[in-house]
Amino acid sequence: MISSPGVYSKVQLCLPPLPLCAHCGSAVSSNSSEVGTPLFCCSGCETVYSILNSRGLEQYYSLKKMGGYFNKPSPATELNQTYSYLDDPEFRKLYATENGAGQIQMTFFLEGVHCVACIWLLEKLPRFVDDVISVSLDMSHSTALVRLCKGGAFAAVAQEFHRLGYRPHPVRGGEHEEHQRRENRLMLIRTGLAGACTGNIMLLALSVYGGASGHWALVFNWLSFALFLPVAFFSAVPFYKAAWTALRTRSVSIDVPIVLGIIFGSIASFANLLTGSDHIYFDSLSALVFLLLASRYVLKRAQQNALQSSKLLHFLTPSVVRRKNPRTDLYEETSMDFINAGDVIEVRAGESIPIDGTVLTGSANLNCALLTGESEWVKVGVGENVFAGTVNQDSALSIKVSASGYGTRLGQILKAVEEGAHRKAPIVTLADRVSKRFVSAVLVLSVGVFIGAWYLAGIQEGLNRALAMVIITCPCALALATPLALTMSLGRAAKKGILIKGADVLERLSQIDSVFLDKTGTITTGNFEVLEWRTVEENARGSDADDLLAALALESRSNHPVARAILRHFPQIPATRLPQVDEFCETVGTGVSGRIGGSVYELRQADEVAVSRVETRVSFLKNGSKIAEVLLGDRVREDSKSSIEKLRALGLDVHILSGDNELPVMNVVSQLGVPRQNAMARMTPERKCQVIQEHPRALMAGDGANDAVALSAAFVGVAVHGGMEVSLRAADAYLSSSGVHLIHEMIVGARETMKVLYRNLGFSLVYNMVGGGLALFGKVDPLFAAVLMPLSAFTVFISSIVGTKRLRGAA
Amino acid sequence: MSIVYFMIPFALLLGFGFTAAFIWMAAKGQYDDLETPAHRILLSEESVQSSHERQGT
């Protein structure tokens, strides 16, 4: 904002407070409407409002207030494409599927789904678009499944989505998602079946504990056995597979003692069943399987949510491109999948360039921050090369494609990330380490108990005590300790906008010793903006507000980055309030000038230095004397300084790695209090990766393609809001708000989670030791085990909830 | 006490029936999305209302 108090406060007094848009609730910049009529932030929102009213759907607005938001609402955009490419047969082959009833369906990712009213509105679509059978929303993924009659067109549906303010992106129904869905369903069925069987077995067992005897006990026990079979042979299969995988690689995971317990427990119980003994543990075993399956299912879903969250929408790459049809010479929309080398495409202002190529017509400034980290815009003209991932700032370009997809520079980075060229090694988690020692202890003890009891009291007693030992030490609580704590943490983090890919990331986060931050786009905004507007007091007198309006009037006639930045700095002043300009003159490379209201105003760049790397100075002159100086550059975010201080307070070493040049980096470093030796400039993606690899316990945060390789090599890689899809694939966690303040919360949260984990493990080990001790002395019988197991599970559950309460409360 | 001869098999049959229904629902994908249906409850009022209105006019 303007730092000089003089101009700022006066300008504020002149302008009314910002009203809110009647449709999306954002601030409205134009205040030209009369009082009483609803205001809108843009014509898109106004259009949606009138559409809803004309169709009798005003209930949308009352539903909005009722449901509450689960995302931030966003303004509607104008319909600027036909979406005709959606009905191209080649496209449909890739993206649409035919379901059993001869209907075609396609899934769309929708931008802007933020409340209950959105669900209501979108599911009403069949009423307004022909051939649509149904639209079903999946709120957590922000996707809509559209079912069409055989002859229908998806273009009409997509246009309707767009018109209503929900920009659609077709989603390829990949085998990956389908596979994942099927896996989830299977796991749920296993869990449900185990639960049903457990409940019934427990009922039967309770009768036996309660005193049923004789042939009733026999009947109940055999029934328990029959109900246990599906659990042992179907529900417990994931444990067998995991234990086998672990043993095959000569390592031990928590699944090994579980499987040992199940196998030994069921065989011995069956033997006891045949001999008529009452040492039967089917109820405890099936409860074990059920509890563990349930906790793992919940954890799995929690982890998957992070990957598919609607909060990741800003990482989307453009799906539609405008390609010139060589026969008609017109640009038509087509999907990115069909672009080849040699095609000519058009990229308009504000769009990102999706391919590598050469400029055929037009010239523009490109923002390369996401690809190279440079904070300064690059000007390109005819014949120059452009690369995928850069953003066109000001005017349309037509580009001849030289490489697309994996062939582009960006694509090569993506390939490197996907092939795991620099993948970090998986850590041996705390749970794995504990289970290693645990397994050996249990085996030794069980054998010891068996031999001891056999020696002292006969083989039957020996077997029973060993069996009791194995059952009671079966790591129910131990195996629950980790998933419960982690699931709750992941959920809490997600609510704050921290999306973590996997549970082991939390453990890694607690072990971090240094933090490496990218500069452009992460610590800074990555945009060229006004940093300061300093009035020169001696020369400024009278109406500063009029002078400001004069400056804006002049800049509104220029397309130069400086002009754009200045205009963006004052969004609340509508074009209608700007005064007339006479004798306007723009000198390329120098500035603008003109006559307004009797005075000659000029905005000129300081002569000494051209658009400087650090900051650009523009002098604002009135009738020849300087009344203000404007500083522009890449702005450091407000929260960066405090975030870095907090990170250092945690005991972490903070470094800055940037692809930008020395001067901008050093400038930022001095503002943030980072020691000079911790900042490195002119870093290539490979060099960043090298530095990261020299620090085995480093956290790396970045947004662009130039960070991606480093992100995948770092101990923990964090992709920041506003970044590219490739950094999304490379990272372990994503922050859905800009800036680095969430990193501090992430690390604190992880440390808290580890504390809960340690406590859970502590509880479960206590249970196991007490139980094991009692089994040693023959005090454990099926009833005791049946009570102890759920009790230990419950304790761990409560401990997880209470432990993560602080994480939740702090939100 | 002989009622038990009926109760136990019947209870198991009921349990089996519900479990089968659960498995069928899970396989059909009813449990894929657990969040959106929770929000849809808020919306059912309107359709009930409007159907009543339609009947009224």
Side-chain angles (χ1 to χ4, degrees):
Chain A
M1 297 305 284
I2 311 172
S3 60
S4 161
V7 178
Y8 184 40
S9 55
K10 281 183 190 151
V11 168
Q12 253 207 329
L13 284 171
C14 288
L15 303 169
L18 302 173
L20 298 178
C21 174
H23 178 71
C24 71
S26 339
V28 176
S29 54
S30 129
N31 45 13
S32 48
S33 299
E34 316 89 52
V35 181
T37 59
L39 294 171
F40 302 99
C41 62
C42 58
S43 56
C45 284
E46 188 166 4
T47 314
V48 183
Y49 189 83
S50 61
I51 293 178
L52 294 182
N53 273 309
S54 66
R55 291 179 182 170
L57 296 171
E58 306 85 355
Q59 196 175 353
Y60 177 74
Y61 296 104
S62 48
L63 277 172
K64 250 205 227 251
K65 293 196 197 90
M66 170 167 53
Y69 294 157
F70 43 83
N71 261 336
K72 288 194 293 277
S74 49
T77 51
E78 298 266 18
L79 180 60
N80 56 5
Q81 11 171 343
T82 59
Y83 291 104
S84 51
Y85 70 95
L86 293 174
D87 297 306
D88 180 289
E90 286 300 314
F91 186 83
R92 280 222 191 159
K93 254 193 249 167
L94 292 176
Y95 282 76
T97 54
E98 204 167 295
N99 73 1
Q103 303 161 348
I104 337 170
Q105 50 189 51
M106 202 189 288
T107 310
F108 292 91
F109 185 103
L110 299 176
E111 289 182 38
V113 175
H114 64 279
C115 62
V116 170
C118 302
I119 303 176
W120 178 80
L121 181 64
L122 290 166
E123 293 189 341
K124 289 217 166 337
L125 221 75
R127 261 203 245 170
F128 304 109
V129 183
D130 294 328
D131 296 329
V132 175
I133 298 170
S134 70
V135 172
S136 28
L137 254 285
D138 182 334
M139 182 199 107
S140 50
H141 303 152
S142 255
T143 54
L145 178 67
V146 178
R147 282 202 195 90
L148 272 192
C149 306
K150 206 122 183 60
F154 284 109
V157 184
Q159 285 180 29
E160 190 67 13
F161 280 146
H162 194 138
R163 245 183 255 127
L164 288 174
Y166 305 99
R167 221 171 152 174
H169 301 263
V171 166
R172 208 189 289 209
E175 309 94 40
H176 173 74
E177 269 91 39
E178 188 55 40
H179 177 74
Q180 199 179 68
R181 225 175 300 152
R182 257 180 276 141
E183 260 189 23
N184 284 348
R185 286 178 196 168
L186 188 60
M187 183 129 185
L188 185 61
I189 292 176
R190 285 194 220 269
T191 312
L193 187 65
C197 293
T198 303
N200 286 304
I201 296 176
M202 278 167 124
L203 278 174
L204 294 165
L206 200 65
S207 323
V208 175
Y209 299 147
S213 54
H215 75 286
W216 281 119
L218 205 67
V219 168
F220 291 164
N221 285 335
W222 275 98
L223 275 176
S224 300
F225 172 67
L227 286 168
F228 181 69
L229 288 175
V231 175
F233 287 106
F234 175 65
S235 295
V237 168
F239 295 111
Y240 303 148
K241 283 193 186 156
W244 180 243
T245 315
L247 288 175
R248 248 189 343 177
T249 57
R250 291 172 184 279
S251 66
V252 164
S253 74
I254 199 76
D255 302 291
V256 175
I258 293 172
V259 169
L260 281 178
I262 295 175
I263 294 179
F264 182 47
S266 31
I267 294 177
S269 297
F270 183 61
N272 283 336
L273 181 67
L274 290 174
T275 61
S277 159
D278 58 350
H279 278 257
I280 294 173
Y281 292 94
F282 296 129
D283 54 344
S284 301
L285 287 174
S286 63
L288 172 83
V289 172
F290 170 60
L291 287 171
L292 295 180
L293 275 178
S295 68
R296 286 191 187 187
Y297 178 73
V298 170
L299 178 61
K300 196 166 184 221
R301 293 296 297 255
Q303 285 184 171
Q304 285 167 0
N305 271 338
L307 287 176
Q308 292 152 345
S309 171
S310 49
K311 294 183 167 87
L312 300 178
L313 93 90
H314 57 265
F315 284 95
L316 287 177
T317 43
S319 42
V320 63
V321 194
R322 264 178 299 276
R323 177 177 58 180
K324 186 184 256 191
N325 186 326
R327 277 171 278 131
T328 65
D329 236 26
L330 289 174
Y331 285 104
E332 45 188 40
E333 291 166 14
T334 180
S335 166
M336 260 311 291
D337 305 291
F338 303 131
I339 298 289
N340 301 307
D343 288 342
V344 175
I345 67 165
E346 184 197 38
V347 177
R348 296 184 190 160
E351 297 177 350
S352 69
I353 299 180
I355 40 81
D356 284 0
T358 333
V359 179
L360 287 180
T361 62
S363 83
N365 286 298
L366 301 179
N367 185 345
C368 305
L370 282 174
L371 188 60
T372 60
E374 286 175 61
S375 50
E376 205 185 300
W377 292 350
V378 173
K379 189 152 176 100
V380 290
V382 177
E384 297 189 56
N385 287 327
V386 291
F387 300 99
T390 56
V391 181
N392 183 347
Q393 298 296 127
D394 43 32
S395 50
L397 294 170
S398 78
I399 306 171
K400 183 164 180 175
V401 179
S402 60
S404 67
Y406 284 119
T408 60
R409 243 169 81 180
L410 182 59
Q412 290 294 305
I413 298 178
L414 185 58
K415 201 158 159 211
V417 164
E418 285 181 343
E419 286 172 357
H422 302 273
R423 249 299 124 191
K424 64 206 93 180
I427 58 169
V428 182
T429 59
L430 177 65
D432 292 336
R433 276 179 279 140
V434 169
S435 42
K436 273 204 195 113
R437 297 203 198 116
F438 186 75
V439 168
S440 23
V442 166
L443 278 174
V444 164
L445 277 172
S446 307
V447 170
V449 165
F450 174 61
I451 294 175
W454 185 5
Y455 183 68
L456 290 174
I459 192 162
Q460 185 70 350
E461 191 57 23
L463 270 171
N464 284 336
R465 289 207 193 178
L467 174 61
M469 179 87 176
V470 171
I471 299 276
I472 205 84
T473 56
C474 210
C476 178
L478 200 68
L480 281 176
T482 323
L484 283 178
L486 294 176
T487 309
M488 303 216 172
S489 291
L490 288 180
R492 289 312 123 202
K495 285 225 159 57
K496 287 191 199 162
I498 303 167
L499 303 170
I500 300 178
K501 250 192 205 172
D504 63 325
V505 178
L506 282 170
E507 203 165 324
R508 286 174 195 253
L509 277 169
S510 66
Q511 297 170 3
I512 294 284
D513 62 7
S514 50
V515 174
F516 287 80
L517 302 171
D518 172 48
K519 179 182 80 70
T520 321
T522 308
I523 304 178
T524 68
T525 58
N527 292 322
F528 191 57
E529 6 187 313
V530 172
L531 302 174
E532 261 193 78
W533 183 289
R534 270 189 230 136
T535 42
V536 180
E537 288 300 339
E538 317 85 62
N539 297 333
R541 45 179 183 278
S543 40
D544 298 294
D546 285 340
D547 290 339
L548 178 63
L549 292 175
L552 293 180
L554 287 176
E555 295 292 15
S556 65
R557 287 154 175 269
S558 166
N559 268 332
H560 194 268
V562 169
R564 292 292 179 84
I566 292 179
L567 286 170
R568 264 203 309 270
H569 197 62
F570 297 99
Q572 63 269 47
I573 301 180
T576 48
R577 284 190 59 179
L578 294 178
Q580 265 289 83
V581 180
D582 306 312
E583 300 172 20
F584 175 77
C585 174
E586 175 166 11
T587 322
V588 173
T590 311
V592 292
S593 65
R595 183 185 290 275
I596 298 158
S599 302
V600 175
Y601 290 95
E602 288 173 86
L603 282 138
R604 280 199 284 122
Q605 271 167 238
D607 327 64
E608 320 92 59
V609 140
V611 182
S612 147
R613 267 91 201 268
V614 178
E615 52 192 23
T616 305
R617 280 173 207 278
V618 171
S619 307
F620 184 30
L621 300 138
K622 180 176 178 177
N623 295 325
S625 54
K626 188 152 121 173
I627 58 170
E629 191 157 286
V630 190
L631 290 165
L632 304 106
D634 188 12
R635 186 167 58 89
V636 171
R637 297 182 196 270
E638 290 87 30
D639 57 352
S640 294
K641 181 160 181 152
S642 57
S643 307
I644 293 182
E645 273 165 22
K646 281 196 217 158
L647 287 171
R648 298 178 88 198
L650 283 178
L652 303 165
D653 235 348
V654 181
H655 303 248
I656 294 180
L657 294 179
S658 178
D660 206 354
N661 295 291
E662 290 286 337
L663 275 172
V665 177
M666 287 309 149
N667 179 46
V668 160
V669 160
S670 58
Q671 280 185 53
L672 297 172
V674 171
R676 290 220 141 195
Q677 67 269 26
N678 281 359
M680 287 175 250
R682 293 176 174 275
M683 296 242 110
T684 59
E686 293 74 27
R687 186 79 190 99
K688 280 198 189 192
C689 184
Q690 260 180 326
V691 172
I692 291 287
Q693 281 169 331
E694 285 162 20
H695 293 85
R697 292 257 184 273
L699 179 148
M700 167 85 195
D703 63 333
N706 60 334
D707 300 313
V709 184
L711 284 178
S712 73
F715 195 55
V716 176
V718 179
V720 171
H721 181 90
M724 308 188 82
E725 186 175 343
V726 60
S727 53
L728 187 93
R729 309 260 192 109
D732 301 302
Y734 328 124
L735 302 179
S736 61
S737 52
S738 320
V740 295
H741 61 280
L742 283 178
I743 296 183
H744 172 257
E745 294 213 41
M746 206 166 52
I747 297 179
V748 168
R751 291 184 182 182
E752 289 285 326
T753 307
M754 289 311 290
K755 280 197 207 139
V756 176
L757 211 71
Y758 279 117
R759 190 171 59 223
N760 284 357
L761 287 172
F763 273 130
S764 41
L765 284 173
V766 162
Y767 270 112
N768 279 330
M769 288 198 299
V770 166
L774 290 171
L776 202 68
F777 294 106
K779 296 277 186 270
V780 174
D781 60 354
L783 174 60
F784 189 76
V787 168
L788 197 71
M789 190 162 291
L791 192 66
S792 60
F794 190 64
T795 314
V796 169
F797 182 64
I798 294 290
S799 155
S800 301
I801 294 186
V802 168
T804 51
K805 208 174 171 55
R806 256 186 39 187
L807 293 175
R808 283 178 278 152
Chain B
M1 256 330 250
S2 52
I3 191 75
V4 184
Y5 288 114
F6 170 69
M7 264 175 47
I8 306 250
F10 189 66
L12 288 175
L13 202 68
L14 271 180
F16 176 73
F18 279 110
T19 310
F22 169 77
I23 292 175
W24 179 73
M25 287 201 296
K28 282 272 169 193
Q30 300 266 0
Y31 292 104
D32 284 350
D33 177 9
L34 296 171
E35 293 187 56
T36 318
H39 283 74
R40 285 214 188 93
I41 307 175
L42 290 170
L43 307 177
S44 63
E45 291 177 36
E46 176 264 336
S47 44
V48 169
Q49 244 179 30
S50 62
S51 66
H52 281 171
E53 283 165 8
R54 267 184 258 129
Q55 280 169 15
T57 50

